[in-house]
Amino acid sequence: MALPVAFFALFFAWPVAAIVTRGLKADGAWRFGRLVDVVTQPDIRHVLWFTTWQALASTALTLLLALPAAHVFARLDFPGKQLLRAVVTVPFVLPTVVVGSAFLALVGRHGLLDELWGVRLDTTVWAILLAHVFFNYAVVVRTVGGLWSQLDPRQEEAARMLGASPLTAWRKVTLPALAPAVAAAALMVFLFTFTSFGVVQILGGPAFSTLEVEIYRQTSEVFDLSTAAVLTLVQFAAVGAILAVHAWTVRRRETALRLVDPKTTARRPRGFAQWALLAGVLASVAVLLLLPLAVLVRRSLDGWGLGYYRALTDADGGTFLVAPVQAVWTSLEYALAATAIAVVIGGLAAAALARRDAGRLVRGFDALLMLPLGVSAVTVGFGFLIALDRPPLDLRQSWILVPLAQALVGAPFVVRTMLPVLRAVDGRLREAAAVLGASPWRAWREVDLPMVRRALLVAAGFAFAVSLGEFGATVFIARPDNPTLPVAVARLLSRPGELNYGQAMALSTILMVVCAAALLVLERLRTDRTGEF
């Protein structure tokens, strides 16, 4: 645990504490009264209300649209199921900037709806809600569908034989068993939408602002660190409460049910109702998930040519110090470095947490590992500039600063992917290796590594995709001559002109293709133990 603890202390706790201290401390005295002053301001109350309201609405809408798909993946077997599973998961690994760009191309000015019917939704809350459903659809499908596929269907069949209708049997038998998974998925969706930044920044405009967007505005535009610090503390408290409830629901899911092999529960669709459900899910996936991506690709083409892609090689536009295409290689280099860091840090943490003799303090660190997913990435990025500005850690001019910030987001995914597999390794195998004279390192290399190799590759793939799309922290610390893809897309969208818009769509398409390719490789490596989030 030494290296993971040191890493999170130096590159997460210290930067966050630095910006909070800078904002709440003046002339050597703490200004805790500033907390009340900020949260009682009418505009801040509006931001808090909108952040909570849109997160609740996004969560409810995601559950409504994704639960039927979870049932289809859990109970029905049909051709192309694995490919469809990969397609459904693609939006989750896409950077939020790409999601915002895709919906901007669909519902924004000169978007598909605008051209066909003269309808624009980019300045309404519906664009944000639909983009959040697009992004979090896979969370519900994977989390709920993964458990649903392991529930014994004979229990529901017994209720049907005793006279219960299909709806009653589902409501009284299946739903109570699924409740922990539904609650866990809902909490994760709420967490992601509560801390939404890229989607709201692009689609919300000046009318809508979440806590994360307001922290960015107060930090980079208004330069009011005091207000930003208060909002960071509010978000930190909310995220901590969400993660505590999520940990409780996960423990219920792990201990309260007897599960069966998921390969035995899926059957070919039978009857009109099942075929209609399958058709409805396929239609919703096509409209909700595939259409925005298709429109994004279409908008990236100059007519039907590649003019916008060719323009990416030209640095004369004035938006960047280098050609925009350089952001592709910069992002790949940063993401590879971040993946290596995340795999080392997350792998060591997962190995420590998987030990059956781990103490309560070590197990408590498991919850802390999730905090970087919910704490303001804007705060972390700006905190890097404040905290890491003097020896022995003066990293403001170092290229490693961006991979370190990206690894903070990737490491929790590594832990969540590897931990169940490591816990499943029989400890007696290690003990037998030790009795035969193997050192702890050799026992891990000969016993654990062959069993967790596939999970390790999947974890590395998720860390790579997540690092590639990190935006909130990178927007502060990426150098002007080395922008990442998400930062380059955001800069292009912030400038007027058809060429800038087309280049933003082209870069978003490239980023989407790279993330989708990484996910398809993961699906080939996926096993039943490593296939869930």
Side-chain angles (χ1 to χ4, degrees), residues 380-401:
V380 174
F382 197 69
F384 269 35
L385 298 180
I386 293 176
L388 306 178
D389 64 342
R390 60 180 64 90
L393 282 176
D394 187 359
L395 302 178
R396 286 179 301 174
Q397 301 301 319
S398 174
W399 67 271
I400 196 64
L401 202 61

Side-chain angles (χ1 to χ4, degrees), residues 100-180:
S101 299
F103 274 82
L104 195 64
L106 179 63
V107 303
R109 183 172 60 90
H110 302 313
L112 181 64
L113 296 184
D114 190 16
E115 289 185 352
L116 294 179
W117 299 295
V119 176
R120 287 184 57 187
L121 299 177
D122 56 322
T123 57
T124 70
V125 73
W126 279 106
I128 296 174
L129 298 182
L130 291 175
H132 284 162
V133 173
F134 172 91
F135 186 76
N136 294 289
Y137 192 89
V139 175
V140 177
V141 171
R142 291 284 187 143
T143 304
V144 179
L147 178 61
W148 206 335
S149 66
Q150 298 178 75
L151 294 180
D152 192 343
R154 292 174 296 183
Q155 296 178 347
E156 191 170 328
E157 292 169 1
R160 294 285 305 279
M161 292 181 63
L162 293 173
S165 65
L167 179 60
T168 301
W170 181 84
R171 182 168 53 85
K172 299 225 172 164
V173 178
T174 304
L175 183 58
L178 287 176

Side-chain angles (χ1 to χ4, degrees), residues 157-244:
E157 292 169 1
R160 294 285 305 279
M161 292 181 63
L162 293 173
S165 65
L167 179 60
T168 301
W170 181 84
R171 182 168 53 85
K172 299 225 172 164
V173 178
T174 304
L175 183 58
L178 287 176
V182 173
L187 285 167
M188 289 307 296
V189 173
F190 183 84
L191 174 64
F192 290 139
T193 53
F194 187 84
T195 58
S196 181
F197 177 58
V199 168
V200 180
Q201 179 79 352
I202 292 175
L203 296 175
F208 302 107
S209 179
T210 58
L211 264 175
E212 188 85 353
V213 174
E214 187 63 22
I215 292 172
Y216 174 77
R217 191 180 74 86
Q218 295 290 338
T219 304
S220 63
E221 298 178 9
V222 184
F223 303 107
D224 187 351
L225 287 185
S226 177
T227 299
V230 171
L231 297 180
T232 297
L233 290 176
V234 171
Q235 185 169 347
F236 191 85
V239 168
I242 295 169
L243 291 178

Side-chain angles (χ1 to χ4, degrees), residues 37-62:
D37 294 339
V38 170
V39 297
T40 55
Q41 294 176 13
D43 55 337
I44 298 299
R45 287 205 310 268
H46 176 74
V47 169
L48 293 172
W49 164 246
F50 176 74
T51 301
T52 305
W53 176 86
Q54 64 82 25
L56 289 172
S58 297
T59 302
L61 192 58
T62 303

Side-chain angles (χ1 to χ4, degrees), residues 246-262:
H246 179 265
W248 177 72
T249 59
V250 168
R251 283 196 299 271
R252 284 188 59 199
R253 183 177 61 176
E254 290 179 346
T255 59
L257 300 172
R258 296 182 62 184
L259 306 178
V260 298
D261 186 352

